Amino acid sequence: MSPHVRRAAIAAAAATLVAGAVYGSAQAQEDTSQGPSVQQAETLRDAASASGRFVGTAVNDGRLYDGNYSSIVASEFSSVTAENVMKWDTVQPSQGNFNFSGGDRLVDFAQQNNQQVYGHTLVWHSQLPSWVSNGGFNAEQLNAVMENHITEVVSHYAGQVAYWDVVNEAFNDDGTLRQSVFQQTIGEEYIANAFRAADAADPNAKLCINDYSTDGINAKSNAMYDLVSSLLDQGVPIDCVGFQSHLILDQLPSDYQENLQRFSDLGLEVIVTELDIRIQDPADSSDLQRQAEQYQQVVSSCVAVSGCAGVTVWGISDADSWVPGTFPGYGAACPWDEYLQPKPAYDGILTGFGG
């Protein structure tokens, strides 16, 4: 397997802080002075860079023209992930018709602010257009559809996207393979086929498999470990494993760091890709302090594992979090509150990186 080395580019992106550089109008630039974190003497971005890692966030495309929001993204983070605009139903809503406008906006924003782009996601059972999920394709046809989608998307962003979540959420919680349309129609080889197609389209991008509830050593993470070991044995071009880390307050696995380490020991990068820590409503000051400590523990675990390339939080503000809509009765999961004010969690992340 040929190495996919972008460390120099990533380090350069993480090392350069362009304070107040925002996307859009002059009004947005005026608003940067109101962003609370722009006033900080040290940012998450500075601290992560000093540790040799990136710190990222998922970006809500609809908020990029909000000056306060975009100034925080620009100044605090060295990596950006598209929350939704690079997913299949947005990029190829009908067969052969590609829409890259949202993804292009994020790439433009990242280039203006010396950030890397983390591509999310190429093959996933969710947010698929019906022409894929209910298309009635046989194995050969669906494999061709999948490989064409990967080729078109990765080629479009070749040289502009540092990492790709190539296959997302391939497992059930018990460690069996999820019976997605790809698994049911093509079989397990769809995973290796997807990585090979992505590698052919951009040999310099780092290619990851990503999942949730794999944060500790359990049936699901053991299955992931066996799969990536097998892929490596087959010479499949896989570079990294993403641990989503959608956590619940006071339920951080005690073997979190040990789990990251065993994947790193395979010679792969490990990345915390979608970190948030949800709290049962209503969150009080004690909850927020414990949340900060647990954010710090996650980040410190990454810093302690030499192969951990970085940490991405899944969104900035509680106002934009996916948590309340998905887990009723829970919220307050992000590092900034609904008014874009930093919470104790912000300091926890900063401290975790050594800031």
Side-chain angles (χ1 to χ4, degrees):
M1 178 180 69
S2 61
H4 300 258
V5 179
R6 295 183 70 92
R7 287 191 177 88
I10 294 165
T16 306
L17 171 64
V18 183
V22 296
Y23 188 80
S25 66
Q27 178 63 46
Q29 295 182 13
E30 292 169 7
D31 287 344
T32 61
S33 63
Q34 301 171 24
S37 53
V38 175
Q39 307 298 322
Q40 300 281 343
E42 185 177 45
T43 63
L44 301 183
R45 184 171 179 159
D46 289 330
S49 176
S51 78
R53 289 161 180 82
F54 67 79
V55 61
T57 189
V59 173
N60 180 333
D61 180 65
R63 297 290 304 276
L64 275 179
Y65 294 100
D66 177 328
N68 289 331
Y69 177 93
S70 59
S71 68
I72 292 173
V73 177
S75 61
E76 292 286 347
F77 297 98
S78 53
S79 178
V80 288
T81 301
E83 186 173 11
N84 284 301
V85 294
M86 288 186 177
K87 292 173 179 172
W88 198 318
D89 60 352
T90 298
V91 172
Q92 194 184 180
S94 59
Q95 189 166 10
N97 294 311
F98 289 86
N99 173 19
F100 295 113
S101 57
D104 289 352
R105 276 191 295 274
L106 184 65
V107 169
D108 289 345
F109 178 91
Q111 290 175 350
Q112 290 180 29
N113 293 293
N114 297 299
Q115 296 163 313
Q116 74 171 19
V117 178
Y118 198 114
H120 178 77
T121 175
L122 297 172
V123 181
W124 186 30
H125 69 277
S126 187
Q127 290 182 242
L128 274 178
S130 61
W131 72 267
V132 179
S133 56
N134 300 309
F137 298 113
N138 63 31
E140 182 179 0
Q141 292 167 336
L142 185 59
N143 192 73
V145 164
M146 179 190 75
E147 291 184 351
N148 179 69
H149 178 81
I150 293 168
T151 300
E152 291 291 331
V153 175
V154 176
S155 296
H156 179 82
Y157 292 112
Q160 301 177 91
V161 170
Y163 290 84
W164 279 106
D165 284 333
V166 177
V167 174
N168 196 47
E169 299 177 3
F171 288 100
N172 298 310
D173 284 350
D174 64 1
T176 59
L177 284 164
R178 183 188 297 276
Q179 293 302 300
S180 67
V181 65
F182 304 104
Q183 174 67 28
Q184 288 183 327
T185 306
I186 303 169
E188 184 177 341
E189 61 266 29
Y190 88 87
I191 298 173
N193 294 349
F195 276 90
R196 291 187 174 109
D199 180 57
D202 185 359
N204 292 317
K206 291 186 177 182
L207 308 179
C208 310
I209 189 166
N210 188 53
D211 218 319
Y212 64 91
S213 296
T214 55
D215 309 297
I217 297 175
N218 55 33
K220 193 172 188 178
S221 65
N222 285 339
M224 176 72 84
Y225 185 90
D226 291 342
L227 173 65
V228 297
S229 297
S230 174
L231 293 174
L232 290 169
D233 289 344
Q234 297 171 53
V236 174
I238 180 171
D239 302 293
C240 36
V241 180
F243 299 83
Q244 292 185 14
S245 300
H246 293 297
L247 301 171
I248 304 171
L249 185 68
D250 301 328
Q251 295 185 31
L252 174 64
S254 60
D255 52 8
Y256 188 91
Q257 182 179 324
E258 180 185 353
N259 190 44
L260 295 182
Q261 186 65 58
R262 66 171 177 157
F263 283 86
S264 176
D265 289 344
L266 293 173
L268 295 168
E269 287 188 13
V270 294
I271 301 165
V272 182
T273 52
E274 304 183 20
L275 175 62
D276 51 29
I277 302 177
R278 60 186 181 269
I279 301 174
Q280 191 164 5
D281 296 329
D284 61 23
S285 59
S286 173
D287 294 332
L288 295 176
Q289 184 56 45
R290 297 200 314 283
Q291 181 190 52
E293 292 166 359
Q294 289 160 39
Y295 264 105
Q296 179 182 338
Q297 288 177 320
V298 171
V299 176
S300 295
S301 293
C302 174
V303 171
V305 174
S306 61
C308 187
V311 176
T312 290
V313 295
W314 203 246
I316 295 171
S317 164
D318 290 337
D320 301 308
S321 174
W322 72 299
V323 166
T326 307
F327 302 101
Y330 285 83
C334 294
W336 279 261
D337 68 16
E338 61 268 33
Y339 305 108
L340 292 178
Q341 297 297 311
K343 293 159 56 180
Y346 174 94
D347 294 317
I349 298 168
L350 191 69
T351 303
F353 278 121

